[in-house]
Amino acid sequence: MRLVLCSLLFIPFGLLRAQGLPLVHPWSAANDPAEQTAYVWWRHSHSLDSWGGLSLIGPQWRFAVRSRLLLVTQSWTTRLNAVFQTGLYGTYTADFDELYDVLRLIDFLRYQPSRNQRFYLRLGPLNRTRLGTGHVVDFLHTAAAWDERTLGLELAWSTAALDMEAFSTDVRRQAVAGARLALRPFFWAQTSRFRFLTLGLSYVRDPAFRQSALLEAVNADLSLNLLPTETPALVPFVSLAHYRHYGTGLRLGASLQSPNLIDLMAFQLRMGLDYDGKAFLPGYMGVFYPVQNLRARILDPAAYPHTLRYAGISLPEARGGNGFFTEVHLLFPQRFELWYFFRKHYGSQRLSTFHFRLFLRTRELQVQTGISRSGLSDWLALFQPMGAQSWLFFETHYLLARPLWLLVQARYTFERLLDAPGGIACYLPQRRFASMLGLRWAL
């Protein structure tokens, strides 16, 4: 399996499906509207933003200057982002205290040929990666601890018969990496019911490129389309996942979906049931995985610094149970996205999870927000204050008077502290806020 994984990381894969093929699961950053800036494929557009204002990191205010360069061609889109922050408490050196910070200037670099939408490549911090039904990898995010964010890689290639997907959370050896093969054995059939029968196999390893792994996961899934039409499609699915040396889980569900509804929008309405054994957490490799895994934990802010107490449940501590999830994903390319996911856990532990993404772009305004919460008891817990297992991102660009723009940004992230006994990396929630004025020039 290790050889298969390593070889697949150099093969373009299919997070982005072939045109006209119904999706079994929501999309990764391939269809992120915040990264889609070209309204027509043949147009080139380049811009430079320069901002200045105030930033808040933890309890300390600083003056900040920021520059952002966006380059858009027919096939390539690149965005670079640099910031310098200083004040009474000194310069914030975490932005440039190691060589890897040079790579962190890259927000994203993506290659997606407009005339061949079956291939996709992206370099940058991962922010919404999902493999298969999301049974193991779901909403994977490598910027949860902002100062330690890593540049990941997504690759995708799809044909009528086969999808190949792979990701890596880092360009270094300690990366978490995974791959998925999805085969449609009856792709030649006339009826869509048989043509879109899909058999999927995924493998994930942490770390991927070292001899010994802390965690390995295998996931198999099966899906088919019950409707005679290709779009929309009604797709029931079943998924079986296993963490080596830990537990096993079963997922059953169905999705009503369309990747291209009358050339206007894409949507997915999904619900399903989870049957989780002991030492199994569905979607374990998700938003909080960089700070909540077998070698890292989130500290409880209510106990810190007097008591070392962790927030949340680690994989070996999971007692099992059942779950029911609902998901709504609406996408109008370049303009609007609404993505809602909630999983209610039925068991003796607080393991319910919530994800929400919203994006809106007009000529004068761009609003983007994302919220992820874990360790919830039920849906009503969403109305309670955000706890230690919470991630938030909010960003607004507003045109005051051309070329003057207002930027407001807020972020719930995590700060690395000293390691706990046993070498466990410890993280504490950290809040950030920035308000800036800037100019945008077309190049």
Side-chain angles (χ1 to χ4, degrees), residues 382-424:
L382 296 175
F383 300 97
Q384 299 175 359
M386 298 181 70
Q389 298 179 86
S390 300
W391 171 86
L392 177 144
F393 176 74
F394 174 83
E395 185 176 86
T396 297
H397 297 248
Y398 180 67
L399 178 61
L400 298 175
R402 198 173 304 274
L404 183 64
W405 288 76
L406 171 67
L407 169 66
V408 178
Q409 186 181 88
R411 189 187 302 273
Y412 278 33
T413 180
F414 295 88
E415 177 186 10
R416 177 76 176 267
L417 304 179
L418 295 176
D419 291 354
I424 300 297

Side-chain angles (χ1 to χ4, degrees), residues 200-234:
L201 179 63
S202 304
Y203 175 68
V204 185
R205 194 171 192 266
D206 176 19
F209 306 109
R210 294 187 181 273
Q211 185 174 2
S212 60
L214 290 175
L215 185 63
E216 292 180 273
V218 179
N219 179 206
D221 60 83
L222 171 67
S223 63
L224 71 158
N225 178 20
L226 295 182
L227 298 183
T229 59
E230 296 183 9
T231 177
L234 178 60

Side-chain angles (χ1 to χ4, degrees), residues 27 45 51 60-61 91 95 109 133 204 217 258 263 270 296 334 350 357 366 372 379 387 404:
W27 315 273
S45 62
W51 312 87
Q60 299 176 1
W61 285 94
T91 300
D95 291 326
L109 188 158
T133 65
V204 185
S258 174
D263 291 329
R270 191 172 75 132
Q334 292 98 28
R350 295 187 176 185
R357 305 290 185 268
Q366 178 175 309
S372 291
W379 194 80
L404 183 64

Side-chain angles (χ1 to χ4, degrees), residues 287-298:
V287 171
F288 302 103
Y289 190 74
V291 296
Q292 186 88 323
N293 53 61
L294 295 177
R295 58 178 180 271
R297 296 296 299 270
I298 300 173

Side-chain angles (χ1 to χ4, degrees), residues 82-137:
V83 63
F84 178 80
Q85 303 173 94
T86 189
L88 294 176
Y89 299 97
T91 300
Y92 190 71
T93 58
D95 291 326
F96 50 84
D97 61 351
E98 58 178 330
L99 185 60
Y100 196 87
D101 287 322
V102 177
L103 294 179
R104 293 189 176 111
L105 296 176
I106 302 175
D107 276 351
F108 60 83
L109 188 158
R110 51 189 290 157
Y111 175 70
Q112 188 170 334
S114 299
R115 297 182 180 181
N116 181 17
Q117 295 293 335
R118 301 185 178 191
F119 177 73
Y120 160 75
L121 179 148
R122 181 185 182 276
L123 176 69
L126 306 184
N127 57 27
R128 52 202 288 166
T129 301
R130 172 182 283 180
L131 279 186
T133 65
H135 208 178
V136 173
V137 180

Side-chain angles (χ1 to χ4, degrees), residues 245-388:
H245 304 308
Y246 294 97
T248 302
L250 176 68
R251 170 167 287 186
L252 304 171
S255 173
L256 179 65
Q257 59 194 31
S258 174
N260 186 5
L261 185 64
I262 59 173
D263 291 329
L264 178 65
M265 65 173 294
F267 75 87
Q268 182 174 60
L269 310 176
R270 191 172 75 132
M271 62 178 57
L273 297 171
D274 287 334
Y275 301 90
D276 307 326
K278 291 183 178 181
F280 183 89
L281 294 172
Y284 179 56
M285 295 182 176
V287 171
F288 302 103
Y289 190 74
V291 296
Q292 186 88 323
N293 53 61
L294 295 177
R295 58 178 180 271
R297 296 296 299 270
I298 300 173
L299 296 181
D300 186 350
Y304 181 82
H306 306 291
T307 304
L308 181 65
R309 187 169 67 200
Y310 299 130
I313 304 298
S314 67
L315 185 64
E317 298 169 343
R319 302 172 190 160
N322 301 321
F324 174 74
F325 66 88
T326 56
E327 184 172 37
V328 178
H329 194 173
L330 307 176
L331 175 66
F332 293 81
Q334 292 98 28
R335 293 292 189 180
F336 177 80
E337 180 182 46
L338 173 67
W339 195 350
Y340 164 90
F341 177 93
F342 182 78
R343 179 186 181 274
K344 174 67 173 72
H345 176 77
Y346 297 92
S348 58
Q349 297 171 309
R350 295 187 176 185
L351 295 174
S352 297
T353 56
F354 170 73
H355 303 284
F356 179 78
R357 305 290 185 268
L358 178 66
F359 179 85
L360 173 66
R361 178 190 283 135
T362 67
R363 291 183 180 275
E364 296 82 19
L365 176 69
Q366 178 175 309
V367 178
Q368 180 181 3
T369 186
I371 301 173
S372 291
R373 299 182 65 180
S374 185
L376 304 174
S377 57
D378 51 34
W379 194 80
L380 293 177
L382 296 175
F383 300 97
Q384 299 175 359
M386 298 181 70

